Amino acid sequence: MAKLGVPNKILSPKQVVQQWANVPHKFEVELWNFEARVARAAVKIFKQSFEMRRLNTDGSALWPERKRNYSHPILHETGTLQNSIRWRELSGMKGGHSYNGYTFNGIQIYTDPTRFSKAKRHKGFCYAAVHNGPDRFRSGAASGIARRQFIGHSTALDDKIREYSMKLFAMLP
């Protein structure tokens, strides 16, 4: 008896081989597309942290309020920090997957320090680690700055990865 949605068709061994012949190449393409989709989603999700005023994940607390009043929302004076969130492919290391002569080892989400070179305030100083990182990054002049994490483990990103994973394997015969 055939399963729902699956035709009751018997394939010859040759037809099975033909069906799977291009799968490795198609899978490599889909894997690269998967990583790019996840990377773009991660950047969007972490940028949303600035609108939410907390890390974009279930159960995260609002960022601590400032001690002084300002007219702009927390971490949103110029948008430099929010707009510094980027992604890149990690390539060239052993153990990755290959596509078109390149070896990929996944993606990295990061704050681009070059985005701070023309910042209106704190010009040239990438202050992302001060806000996002653990307490050890807040010493000296940065010791009074509260932690306001905007990149990190995110249930919103986990949901996107699950969604995109389903699409990744849907292309298999």
Side-chain angles (χ1 to χ4, degrees), residues 45-65:
I45 286 166
F46 295 137
K47 283 184 174 186
Q48 287 171 341
S49 293
F50 289 83
E51 308 308 320
M52 299 169 76
R53 298 169 62 178
R54 63 179 180 83
L55 179 62
N56 189 353
T57 189
D58 288 344
S60 65
L62 288 174
W63 292 334
E65 290 296 324

Side-chain angles (χ1 to χ4, degrees), residues 112-173:
D112 183 359
T114 64
R115 301 293 294 187
F116 296 87
S117 63
K118 296 178 183 170
K120 292 178 184 173
R121 292 193 60 218
H122 312 294
K123 188 174 183 172
F125 177 65
C126 179
Y127 50 93
V130 174
H131 288 291
N132 201 61
D135 289 335
R136 62 187 162 94
F137 287 114
R138 287 182 292 285
S139 60
S143 62
I145 298 173
R147 182 176 191 204
R148 295 183 176 98
Q149 187 176 8
F150 54 91
I151 292 179
H153 177 267
S154 169
T155 54
L157 183 56
D158 287 346
D159 292 343
K160 280 292 181 191
I161 291 170
R162 269 192 291 285
E163 176 188 332
Y164 295 151
S165 294
M166 299 303 287
K167 293 176 184 177
L168 175 63
F169 294 104
M171 54 74 58
L172 296 175

Side-chain angles (χ1 to χ4, degrees), residues 7-125:
N8 197 5
K9 181 179 176 185
I10 297 174
L11 298 175
S12 71
K14 185 177 180 178
Q15 289 171 316
V16 171
V17 168
Q18 286 174 339
Q19 208 176 27
W20 284 86
N22 291 324
V23 168
H25 173 72
K26 286 180 182 177
F27 190 73
E28 289 292 338
V29 171
E30 284 303 313
L31 187 58
W32 189 89
N33 289 335
F34 168 79
E35 289 180 351
R37 277 187 217 104
V38 168
R40 286 190 299 270
V43 169
K44 183 177 178 181
I45 286 166
F46 295 137
K47 283 184 174 186
Q48 287 171 341
S49 293
F50 289 83
E51 308 308 320
M52 299 169 76
R53 298 169 62 178
R54 63 179 180 83
L55 179 62
N56 189 353
T57 189
D58 288 344
S60 65
L62 288 174
W63 292 334
E65 290 296 324
R66 291 181 289 234
K67 293 179 175 122
R68 294 174 28 196
N69 285 334
Y70 293 93
S71 59
H72 58 83
I74 294 173
L75 297 186
H76 223 303
E77 180 180 6
T78 64
T80 303
L81 184 58
Q82 180 179 16
N83 293 326
S84 74
I85 302 172
R86 298 277 186 260
W87 71 276
R88 65 177 157 221
E89 302 161 339
L90 299 177
S91 61
M93 299 167 60
K94 290 185 179 182
H97 61 280
S98 299
Y99 174 65
N100 235 9
Y102 297 96
T103 301
F104 299 102
N105 287 68
I107 56 171
Q108 179 182 33
I109 310 300
Y110 67 103
T111 51
D112 183 359
T114 64
R115 301 293 294 187
F116 296 87
S117 63
K118 296 178 183 170
K120 292 178 184 173
R121 292 193 60 218
H122 312 294
K123 188 174 183 172
F125 177 65

